[in-house]
């Protein structure tokens, strides 16, 4: 399990990981994307 976390940490520090994090932050700041994500999470929670 720690090997997976280590790989995630390495990716997050890489240029590609930083780019992905920036893109995720921009998407999270968009009200439409935020509403879309909330709808998806509510669907996932109700299907359990």
């Amino acid at each position: 399990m720690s090997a997976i976390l280590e790989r995630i940490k390495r990716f997050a520090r890489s240029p590609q990981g930083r780019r992905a994090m920036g893109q995720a932050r921009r998407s999270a700041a968009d009200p439409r994307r935020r509403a879309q994500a909330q709808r998806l999470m509510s669907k996932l929670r109700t299907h359990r």
Side-chain angles (χ1 to χ4, degrees):
M1 187 63 145
S2 66
I4 293 170
L5 292 176
E6 194 59 40
R7 289 182 69 185
I8 292 170
K9 285 180 189 177
R10 249 186 294 142
F11 175 73
R13 292 183 190 124
S14 72
Q16 295 91 346
R18 289 183 184 154
R19 200 173 314 127
M21 292 290 279
Q23 189 175 11
R25 283 190 184 107
R26 282 190 301 278
S27 292
D30 182 13
R32 280 185 298 163
R33 292 283 186 194
R34 186 177 296 237
Q36 186 180 28
Q38 286 176 340
R39 283 193 305 271
L40 175 64
M41 291 304 291
S42 68
K43 280 184 184 180
L44 290 174
R45 286 187 190 118
T46 58
H47 285 292
R48 287 187 174 203

